[in-house]
Amino acid sequence: MYLKLLNKENKIAVIGLGYVGLPIALEFAKKISVIGFDINDKRIAMMNNGIDPSNELDASAFENCDIEFTSSLDVLRKAKFFIVAVPTPVDEHNVPDLKPVKNASATIGKVIKKGDYVVFESTVYPGCTEEDCLPIIEQISGLKAITDFKLGYSPERINPGDKEHRLENITKIVSGEDAETLEAVAALYSVVVEVGVYKASSIKVAEAAKVIENTQRDVNIALINELAVIFNLMNIDTLEVLEAAGTKWNFLPFRPGLVGGHCIGVDPYYLTHKVSTLGYTPEVILAGRRINDRMGSYIAQQTIKQMILAGTMSKGANVLVLGLTFKENCADIRNSKVIDIINELKDYGLNVIVWDPMADIHEAQKEYGLSLTDLSSIHQIDAVIAAVAHQQILSIDLDFIRSRSRIDGTPWIDVKSVFSVPSLYGFGFKVWRL
């Protein structure tokens, strides 16, 4: 299998071409013949024109790549090695939504052949690949794992907006249902991962390793968010405390903030869901989730408090929110916790104006019913919330924002604590930061 892939006698298929699947497909396509499969024909058309729908890659990433983008099952059947990189979200009740990964499993069941390999990259709870996905493939295909085809798992570690940590320089965890599969999967990923792979002892170990990576970060950020609330009650600047504590060699450099996106804010619910079926109620993990999920509401309430103190609070007052995406220098708005701030402010009768130079205006309207504004059209600002630390937001013209503010001393809410406090005060803003 390995040599036939390198010689382009066989093809790899990547199913799901979002911010995870597309970079993987293009990286493999530099050395192996690849089929990029997605059910969204609009996205397929964009990629055929060298456009990344997620705005993570530029046109040069598509150059010199042996790849065919398609939504056709007939084309997909030509592959011998299938990689599944579809999203794994949660529903409105924070229950894992396995529809995408199950639908992908059904798709594979329709096209898989004897001797093929299937590797899942989607983040799931331990046991999902073998207990939820595998039976679907076997039922639809009539084939059996190990004897007819091979099953593996290699969790994605793509970090949207991060130009430093990329697929090729992040150690890749690989696993397989037997020793033969493990070696085959390890050999394949070693083709594109320059720093090498880590061979997990089982699929469940690999699944668990992935889901706790983000759970650990979630819990640590929750601790700092709770400390930020505490220090605010004590009138102590949180960032100054963290900088002082950070002089100790083993103090972890976490910062308070909004925790959204489809990783840190989602993955812990996959683990807690699975654990709850085993009769155990996780306490620390769920406590961290509760803290992080209410930070948007907390920031909105602190904004209103600062507006009252400044005398700018009234029904219909204008609040300018800078940034909508779930993290800095990233165009993805899905599961952004900035919307929690916006909705809370609207509930108090405030007029919220949102500017984000990276977010797509059509996606914002579709996802949240928001009309993004142009900076040149804003006026009579009563408060500013710098919610996302995009580079364009960090370099925003403070004098321009001041000129569009209603009064001197307009509240400036620095969610990420990234602006210079003396500079903001110098332009007449009254600063509050998380």
Side-chain angles (χ1 to χ4, degrees):
M1 169 69 77
Y2 173 71
L3 291 177
K4 287 186 175 181
L5 286 169
L6 285 182
N7 293 332
K8 297 193 175 183
E9 297 175 42
N10 289 338
K11 295 176 180 286
I12 291 178
V14 178
I15 299 174
L17 300 175
Y19 79 94
V20 171
L22 183 57
I24 293 169
L26 292 177
E27 198 64 34
F28 272 118
K30 294 175 182 177
K31 300 178 181 179
I32 294 171
S33 185
V34 176
I35 297 169
F37 181 87
D38 200 286
I39 60 174
N40 189 321
D41 286 322
K42 181 180 178 182
R43 293 175 63 89
I44 293 295
M46 293 177 69
M47 289 180 282
N48 275 324
N49 287 311
I51 301 171
D52 176 10
S54 299
N55 293 320
E56 285 290 309
L57 306 172
D58 57 32
S60 63
F62 293 79
E63 296 174 357
N64 301 314
C65 288
D66 183 358
I67 186 166
E68 179 180 4
F69 295 109
T70 184
S71 59
S72 167
L73 291 182
D74 289 334
V75 175
L76 190 61
R77 286 190 180 93
K78 300 176 183 178
K80 291 291 291 180
F81 200 111
F82 300 89
I83 296 174
V84 179
V86 297
T88 45
V90 293
D91 65 17
E92 64 273 17
H93 305 294
N94 294 321
V95 175
D97 179 4
L98 295 179
K99 287 194 292 291
V101 77
K102 286 184 175 181
N103 288 340
S105 300
T107 296
I108 290 173
K110 297 174 184 176
V111 300
I112 196 171
K113 307 165 294 298
K114 283 190 175 184
D116 289 357
Y117 283 71
V118 182
V119 175
F120 285 83
E121 290 217 2
S122 305
T123 303
V124 291
Y125 48 73
C128 182
T129 301
E130 294 162 292
E131 297 165 10
D132 296 290
C133 300
L134 177 58
I136 296 174
I137 298 173
E138 290 182 326
Q139 180 183 6
I140 294 176
S141 68
L143 303 176
K144 290 295 181 182
I146 298 182
T147 57
D148 295 327
F149 67 92
K150 301 294 187 178
L151 181 70
Y153 181 80
S154 181
E156 60 88 5
R157 281 177 164 172
I158 299 294
N159 187 27
D162 189 341
K163 303 304 180 184
E164 178 182 354
H165 300 98
R166 310 303 294 171
L167 174 65
E168 62 271 17
N169 60 22
I170 302 174
T171 300
K172 198 83 164 71
I173 297 174
V174 295
S175 64
E177 61 185 346
D178 59 14
E180 179 186 342
T181 307
L182 175 60
E183 293 305 318
V185 173
L188 179 65
Y189 278 104
S190 294
V191 172
V192 294
V193 181
E194 297 173 0
V195 295
V197 301
Y198 178 90
K199 298 176 183 178
S201 61
S202 69
I203 290 176
K204 286 185 179 180
V205 167
E207 290 169 324
K210 168 57 182 177
V211 80
I212 71 164
E213 289 175 14
N214 289 323
T215 300
Q216 183 188 65
R217 285 185 57 77
D218 192 43
V219 171
N220 275 291
I221 296 171
L223 170 62
I224 303 303
N225 274 336
E226 186 164 58
L227 290 174
V229 173
I230 292 170
F231 293 143
N232 184 50
L233 292 171
M234 296 178 172
N235 292 317
I236 302 173
D237 187 278
T238 302
L239 185 58
E240 292 181 5
V241 175
L242 295 177
E243 288 175 343
T247 59
K248 190 177 183 203
W249 69 92
N250 60 353
F251 186 81
L252 301 178
F254 287 94
R255 291 289 186 266
L258 300 171
V259 183
H262 13 79
C263 291
I264 301 178
V266 171
D267 295 355
Y269 287 123
Y270 273 76
L271 183 58
T272 57
H273 170 78
K274 180 64 175 181
V275 170
S276 66
T277 67
L278 303 175
Y280 180 80
T281 301
E283 298 182 23
V284 174
I285 298 171
L286 288 176
R289 281 280 74 237
R290 287 192 294 271
I291 291 170
N292 287 338
D293 276 348
R294 67 179 181 231
M295 289 309 294
S297 176
Y298 175 76
I299 291 167
Q301 291 168 16
Q302 292 304 310
T303 300
I304 291 168
K305 178 179 178 180
Q306 295 303 313
M307 292 175 70
I308 292 172
L309 293 174
T312 61
M313 178 62 189
S314 63
K315 186 176 181 180
N318 296 318
V319 179
L320 172 63
V321 174
L322 302 175
L324 177 63
T325 66
F326 84 89
K327 65 179 293 187
E328 64 274 6
N329 303 318
C330 172
D332 202 333
I333 65 172
R334 291 173 296 171
N335 197 33
S336 171
K337 294 304 177 182
V338 178
I339 195 64
D340 293 349
I341 300 175
I342 294 169
N343 288 339
E344 184 92 0
L345 294 174
K346 286 183 175 180
D347 286 344
Y348 279 91
L350 299 178
N351 179 42
V352 182
I353 306 160
V354 185
W355 178 70
D356 191 317
M358 297 203 67
D360 184 273
I361 57 174
H362 303 294
E363 287 295 320
Q365 183 64 47
K366 178 181 176 182
E367 189 81 12
Y368 301 117
L370 286 177
S371 297
L372 299 181
T373 191
D374 185 273
L375 274 184
S376 61
S377 65
I378 66 171
H379 61 280
Q380 298 295 296
I381 301 170
D382 295 294
V384 179
I385 301 177
V388 186
H390 292 318
Q391 189 57 49
Q392 296 99 315
I393 290 176
L394 295 180
S395 59
I396 198 168
D397 186 345
L398 295 177
D399 189 49
F400 172 81
I401 301 298
R402 181 201 58 78
S403 70
R404 300 300 176 99
S405 299
R406 195 184 300 273
I407 65 167
D408 285 334
T410 295
W412 182 290
I413 311 302
D414 187 4
V415 173
K416 299 287 289 184
S417 298
V418 289
F419 284 88
S420 164
V421 173
S423 293
L424 289 171
Y425 276 118
F427 281 97
F429 296 105
K430 184 178 180 184
V431 184
W432 181 93
R433 60 185 187 182
L434 189 60

